[in-house]
């Protein structure tokens, strides 16, 4: 599977990226960055850094949107991901990388046009880059093979407000455009990501097993992130000290579909008012969205560890 990863790294984004790089059936052919967990400048620096650490610096990284389409941007959640997006790393190795000249939307258009019906988009941040590409090229959507997003909360509460999940909350207008576009979207939402708790110890094990800068970096970031989640969800996540894997489940939906149950439906987004950012099931129109309704949590954790523990770092 050739994938372009649209991301705001971000700790769970880093987890997802390393899962994708480690997985034999995924080829990451590009990364596009977006504001969200951090500024887009920091997200781009993090994507380049994470790729550099794994000697995957040949993967092109294109910088994307710095702010939502319409709403007033909010400060990044430094208390969740650290002010650098990677759990406040004490230092960084000297890994140098540069983003490509094209911005994210132009990069997405060019790559998909050069590889029609061959590229899957995995988008795990605010959907601003995808919405911008849809606006710039109105026939582009039909050439994308598949779209998987991490975002939304369909039958469960949100994680920013009572009804809104962070990626949709950060740019509800972009999400609405992505849901309305003429393509099928797989929606990996909090309905399943809140069912999968990644134990913090798992990352310690991985880092001990592979004393490589990439795994040390991921472990450091996850330990920071797990402190936040263990406090916020003391009765569930806190009991085993861990965190939600959120973004990595978007890749697992591709690599391990048997771990999930899904439902074909149609979603819309509330773009204003007290329920701003809510993902709503619509009763009219063709079913163009596959929502993920339940997941084999233990199976996900096991598959994640097996993939990251394999010999992918050389
Ligand atoms: O709600 C979870 C999502 O918001 C994930 O993509 C995470 O990285 C955060 O940005
Ligand atoms: Ca993310």
């Amino acid at each position: 599977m050739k994938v372009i990863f649209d991301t705001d790294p971000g700790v769970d984004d880093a987890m997802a990226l390393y899962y994708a790089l480690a997985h034999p059936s995924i080829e990451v052919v590009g990364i596009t960055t977006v504001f969200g967990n951090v500024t887009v400048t920091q997200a781009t620096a993090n994507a380049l850094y994470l790729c550099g650490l794994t000697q995957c610096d040949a993967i092109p990284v294109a910088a994307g949107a710095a702010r939502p389409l319409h709403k007033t941007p909010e400060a990044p959640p430094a208390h969740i991901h650290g002010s650098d997006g990677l759990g406040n790393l004490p230092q960084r190795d000297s890994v140098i990388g540069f983003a490509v000249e094209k911005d994210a939307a132009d990069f997405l258009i060019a790559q998909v046009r050069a590889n029609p019906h061959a590229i899957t988009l995995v988008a795990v941040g605010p959907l601003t880059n995808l919405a911008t590409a849809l606006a710039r090229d109105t026939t582009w959507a039909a050439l994308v093979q598949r779209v998987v997003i991490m975002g939304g909360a369909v039958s469960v509460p949100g994680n920013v407000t009572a009804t809104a999940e962070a990626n949709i909350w950060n740019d509800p207008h972009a999400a609405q455009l992505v849901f309305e576009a003429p393509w099928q979207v797989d929606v990996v939402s909090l309905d399943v990501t809140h069912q999968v708790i990644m134990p913090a110890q798992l990352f310690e094990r991985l880092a001990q097993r592979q004393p490589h800068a990439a795994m040390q970096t991921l472990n450091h970031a996850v330990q920071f992130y797990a402190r936040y989640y263990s406090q916020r969800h003391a009765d569930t996540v806190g009991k085993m000290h861990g965190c939600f894997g959120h973004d990595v489940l978007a890749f697992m939906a591709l690599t391990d579909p048997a771990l999930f149950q899904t439902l074909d439906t149609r979603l819309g987004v509330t773009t204003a008012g007290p329920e701003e950012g809510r993902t709503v099931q619509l009763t009219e129109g063709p079913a163009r969205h596959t929502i993920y309704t339940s997941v084999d949590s233990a199976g996900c954790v096991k598959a994640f560890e097996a993939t990251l523990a394999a010999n992918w770092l050389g």
Side-chain angles (χ1 to χ4, degrees):
M1 282 174 270
K2 288 186 191 304
V3 167
I4 298 179
F5 186 39
D6 187 68
T7 175
D8 59 337
V11 180
D12 58 318
D13 303 71
M15 213 188 277
L17 175 63
Y18 280 179
Y19 177 81
L21 294 178
H23 203 286
S25 63
I26 293 180
E27 183 192 357
V28 180
V29 297
I31 298 174
T32 50
T33 59
V34 64
F35 76 95
N37 292 325
V38 284
T39 65
V40 72
T41 305
Q42 184 70 58
T44 307
N46 289 349
L48 289 164
Y49 186 63
L50 292 164
C51 286
L53 287 179
T54 53
Q55 282 80 48
C56 292
D57 37 11
I59 297 174
V61 175
R67 49 174 297 142
L69 294 180
H70 301 301
K71 79 182 277 185
T72 307
E74 294 182 349
H79 59 298
I80 305 177
H81 295 269
S83 53
D84 67 347
L86 295 175
N88 297 328
L89 291 172
Q91 62 185 44
R92 292 192 181 217
D93 287 5
S94 53
V95 171
I96 299 169
F98 297 97
V100 298
E101 225 169 87
K102 280 189 171 56
D103 75 0
D106 279 352
F107 178 84
L108 285 164
I109 293 166
Q111 291 295 312
V112 168
R113 286 217 165 266
N115 302 276
H117 311 291
I119 290 186
T120 294
L121 307 181
V122 176
V124 300
L127 293 166
T128 323
N129 291 334
L130 270 60
T132 304
L134 288 166
R136 282 186 196 167
D137 183 337
T138 52
T139 56
W140 169 77
L143 302 175
V144 173
Q145 195 198 0
R146 189 168 172 190
V147 183
V148 184
I149 71 157
M150 188 279 129
V154 181
S155 305
V156 297
N159 59 359
V160 179
T161 69
T163 49
E165 179 280 330
N167 289 337
I168 309 296
W169 169 261
N170 278 329
D171 197 342
H173 298 92
Q176 176 72 321
L177 290 171
V178 167
F179 284 149
E180 282 172 355
W183 55 17
Q184 178 74 30
V185 183
D186 281 32
V187 181
V188 178
S189 62
L190 298 184
D191 299 65
V192 283
T193 70
H194 274 182
Q195 292 178 38
V196 182
I197 301 167
M198 297 283 184
Q201 266 191 350
L202 182 160
F203 295 86
E204 270 167 20
R205 268 201 307 276
L206 287 170
Q208 273 164 14
R209 201 167 167 156
Q210 304 187 68
H212 185 286
M215 288 314 305
Q216 308 300 328
T217 299
L218 183 63
N219 182 37
H220 174 93
V222 168
Q223 298 307 324
F224 180 94
Y225 185 66
R227 282 197 284 279
Y228 165 79
Y229 272 110
S230 290
Q231 268 173 21
R232 175 158 175 189
H233 299 268
D235 288 349
T236 51
V237 186
K239 284 212 168 117
M240 67 162 72
H241 187 55
C243 57
F244 296 129
H246 293 306
D247 294 345
V248 73
L249 294 199
F251 279 115
M252 295 193 129
L254 290 174
T255 58
D256 297 85
L259 294 174
F260 298 89
Q261 288 193 323
T262 62
L263 174 75
D264 289 339
T265 185
R266 191 176 179 92
L267 291 178
V269 178
T270 308
T271 54
E275 294 198 340
E276 178 185 353
R278 182 175 188 169
T279 38
V280 194
Q281 264 184 283
L282 306 176
T283 48
E284 284 178 14
R288 277 217 301 258
H289 307 123
T290 300
I291 57 174
Y292 285 64
T293 52
S294 65
V295 58
D296 172 353
S297 309
C300 275
V301 175
K302 208 171 147 198
F304 176 82
E305 183 162 11
T307 301
L308 272 281
N311 188 21
W312 64 286
L313 286 166

